[in-house]
Amino acid sequence: MAVTLVNPAGLPEIDVYHQVAVAEGTKLVFVAGQVAWGADGKTIGEGDLAAQVERSYLNVGTALAGAGGSFDDVAKLTFYVAGWTPDKMPALLDGIARATAKLDTKASPPATLIGVAALDVPEHLVEIEATAVL
């Protein structure tokens, strides 16, 4: 594993992610923003943020595996959520929990959540991109 996750003294510990990722690998992997598409290109979980987060997260896992990595190699995640309001946090966290259980990972890399007006198509509620180091 080329990524070590830490919470430096003086910064708050956040339950769902670490503040810093220290990467020491030799290959960078940049995963394009993943949405809730199945392999057939159809949206999964239309209108259900938790289901879309889960599917998008699983798609990131598939992309990482295609590059020879896993969530243990992720140095940074970015979440783009359409029409973000803080009351959506439980659904976001539920989707992440369901996906990490399916992926059998406890990885919690640094993450940024950005609320956006809209994504590529109206039915997409979330897009997740990743940077990994192998």
Side-chain angles (χ1 to χ4, degrees):
M1 180 169 49
V3 178
T4 303
L5 302 175
V6 297
N7 281 313
L11 292 177
E13 287 196 28
I14 308 297
D15 291 342
V16 295
Y17 65 88
H18 285 81
Q19 295 282 8
V20 176
V22 180
E24 297 183 24
T26 59
K27 180 167 60 170
L28 291 175
V29 178
F30 299 94
V31 177
Q34 297 297 304
V35 293
W37 277 332
D40 60 1
K42 293 184 181 168
T43 299
I44 295 171
E46 192 168 335
D48 182 342
L49 179 59
Q52 288 199 21
V53 169
E54 177 183 4
R55 184 63 209 193
S56 300
Y57 210 92
L58 293 172
N59 287 350
V60 170
T62 299
L64 291 167
S70 73
F71 265 92
D72 290 336
D73 303 307
V74 173
K76 178 79 167 68
L77 290 171
T78 304
F79 294 81
Y80 300 91
V81 182
W84 174 257
T85 55
D87 64 310
K88 295 180 180 182
M89 186 61 83
L92 181 87
L93 296 176
D94 180 43
I96 292 170
R98 291 174 3 196
T100 56
K102 286 182 178 177
L103 293 166
D104 193 31
T105 183
K106 300 276 188 218
S108 55
T112 298
L113 187 154
I114 301 171
V116 296
L119 293 168
D120 60 331
V121 294
E123 61 266 18
H124 289 159
L125 304 175
V126 65
E127 185 168 327
I128 305 170
E129 65 182 22
T131 301
V133 181
L134 308 181

